[in-house]
């Protein structure tokens, strides 16, 4: 939480609002500078008649990527209805006005402001839903050759999704990687597929997405992964895994030297 208030008021508020990570400053510029010490800012707390230049703080927050989506909670000097910021709150969901000053009232107002601005933490069900929608959108964008976005900025997050404990997220991540034009994406699919700890059901999904990737973008993986895929195709106990691994090898359209090395390796 970012608080626009003099130092003595800031220290007093730290005692009242113990459930929040707090920093702040007496001026908007000082407060914004202090915000760098927080991993994120979801509430900006200001006091009418005490905080210096609330209007300037609101302007700065709209121009700052870290602060623009934060809830702005203004504690009115007298009545929350009489303050000029009441009209602003009617037109802007990110602004909430309260006249509460006691500990319980302030804490409740903060949570109301976060809820109003859409800043309350997501539960696991909602987080999963958003992650799946994001993966689906990424796939659609990757398929659409006419789009101009650099999809590779999402690659590291999608690769990390392969290790997600939620199977549906891991599967969606694999599907998205299968459409990203990068060597790292293809290698990530192959590496996860040959991992002994990967469940067979997921191995099949990974191998099929690897096949899709290879058909779109060609063979991008090194000989070590080729040999591991060959071993999987030869020795996997699950017939569906063996079939998917063989399909992936076929889609990779191995070069003559890769085929030769694969045959030599299997003959040992």
């Amino acid at each position: 939480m970012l608080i626009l208030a003099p130092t003595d008021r800031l220290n007093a508020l730290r005692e009242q609002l113990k459930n929040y990570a707090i920093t702040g400053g007496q001026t908007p510029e000082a407060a914004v500078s202090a915000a760098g010490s927080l991993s994120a800012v979801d509430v900006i707390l200001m006091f009418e008649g005490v905080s210096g230049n609330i209007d300037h703080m609101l302007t700065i927050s709209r121009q700052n990527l870290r602060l623009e989506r934060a809830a702005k909670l203004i504690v009115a000097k007298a009545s929350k209805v009489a303050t000029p910021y009441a009209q602003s709150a009617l037109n802007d969901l990110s602004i909430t006005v309260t006249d509460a000053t006691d500990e319980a009232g302030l804490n409740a107002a903060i949570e109301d402001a976060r809820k109003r601005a859409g800043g309350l933490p997501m539960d696991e069900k909602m987080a999963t839903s958003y992650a799946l929608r994001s993966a689906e959108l990424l796939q659609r964008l990757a398929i659409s050759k006419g789009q101009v976005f650099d999809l590779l900025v999402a690659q590291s997050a999608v690769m990390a999704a392969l290790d997600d404990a939620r199977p549906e997220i891991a599967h969606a991540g694999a599907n998205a990687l299968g459409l990203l034009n990068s060597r790292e994406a293809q290698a990530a699919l192959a590496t996860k597929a040959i991992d002994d700890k990967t469940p067979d059901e997921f191995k099949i999904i990974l191998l099929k997405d690897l096949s899709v990737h290879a058909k779109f973008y060609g063979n991008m993986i090194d000989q070590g992964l080729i040999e591991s895929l060959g071993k999987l195709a030869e020795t996997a106990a699950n017939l569906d895994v063996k079939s998917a691994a063989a399909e992936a090898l076929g889609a990779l359209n191995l070069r003559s030297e890769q085929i030769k090395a694969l045959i030599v390796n299997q003959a040992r």
Side-chain angles (χ1 to χ4, degrees):
M1 181 188 302
L2 185 61
I3 300 178
L4 181 62
T7 302
D8 56 344
R9 188 65 175 270
L10 188 60
N11 291 334
L13 287 166
R14 284 195 173 97
E15 293 299 315
Q16 282 186 290
L17 308 173
K18 295 178 180 178
N19 293 328
Y20 304 94
I22 290 174
T23 191
Q26 186 163 345
T27 67
E29 290 78 9
V32 172
S33 178
S37 66
L38 299 176
S39 59
V41 175
D42 59 358
V43 180
I44 302 173
L45 179 59
M46 298 163 278
F47 295 83
E48 191 179 18
V50 176
S51 299
N53 205 336
I54 291 176
D55 290 332
H56 188 38
M57 184 73 236
L58 291 173
T59 300
I60 288 178
S61 68
R62 295 188 189 102
Q63 299 169 347
N64 186 296
L65 291 176
R66 294 190 74 231
L67 304 179
E68 63 177 349
R69 296 182 64 84
K72 291 86 178 176
L73 177 60
I74 300 171
V75 180
K77 187 175 181 180
S79 168
K80 67 179 181 180
V81 178
T83 176
Y85 295 107
Q87 184 62 42
S88 299
L90 289 176
N91 300 323
D92 188 343
L93 291 177
S94 73
I95 298 175
T96 299
V97 178
T98 184
D99 49 20
T101 56
D102 62 293
E103 182 175 340
L106 265 181
N107 277 279
I110 289 167
E111 292 308 302
D112 286 343
R114 293 174 68 200
K115 181 177 181 181
R116 177 179 160 85
L120 284 178
M122 293 186 289
D123 59 24
E124 184 175 348
K125 182 178 180 180
M126 185 181 297
T128 298
S129 175
Y130 273 115
L132 290 173
R133 287 172 59 188
S134 297
E136 181 182 355
L137 178 58
L138 186 61
Q139 291 172 55
R140 290 181 180 179
L141 288 171
I143 291 172
S144 174
K145 302 300 182 182
Q147 57 83 24
V148 296
F149 300 107
D150 180 9
L151 302 183
L152 293 184
V153 298
Q155 179 173 267
S156 59
V158 180
M159 288 170 62
L162 296 182
D163 295 319
D164 199 289
R166 296 164 293 181
E168 63 272 38
I169 299 299
H171 296 175
N175 295 159
L177 280 179
L179 297 170
L180 290 183
N181 184 8
S182 93
R183 183 180 302 275
E184 292 79 12
Q186 192 172 102
L189 291 168
T191 300
K192 190 68 176 178
I194 63 175
D195 190 336
D196 291 337
K197 297 188 291 294
T198 301
D200 284 347
E201 179 187 358
F202 190 24
K203 283 185 179 182
I204 295 167
I205 291 171
L206 289 159
L207 291 164
K208 288 187 178 299
D209 286 322
L210 176 58
S211 295
V212 169
H213 194 284
K215 289 172 183 176
F216 275 135
Y217 307 116
N219 181 352
M220 296 181 171
I221 56 179
D222 61 32
Q223 186 62 34
L225 284 173
I226 293 289
E227 292 176 1
S228 295
L229 286 169
K231 182 178 180 181
L232 187 65
E234 182 183 6
T235 64
N238 186 306
L239 292 180
D240 290 332
V241 171
K242 292 183 72 169
S243 176
E247 180 184 344
L249 286 169
L252 285 165
N253 193 21
L254 303 184
R255 298 182 292 275
S256 58
E257 66 271 18
Q258 290 179 316
I259 295 174
K260 180 180 178 181
L262 185 60
I263 293 172
V264 170
N265 186 63
Q266 290 179 341
R268 291 174 180 172

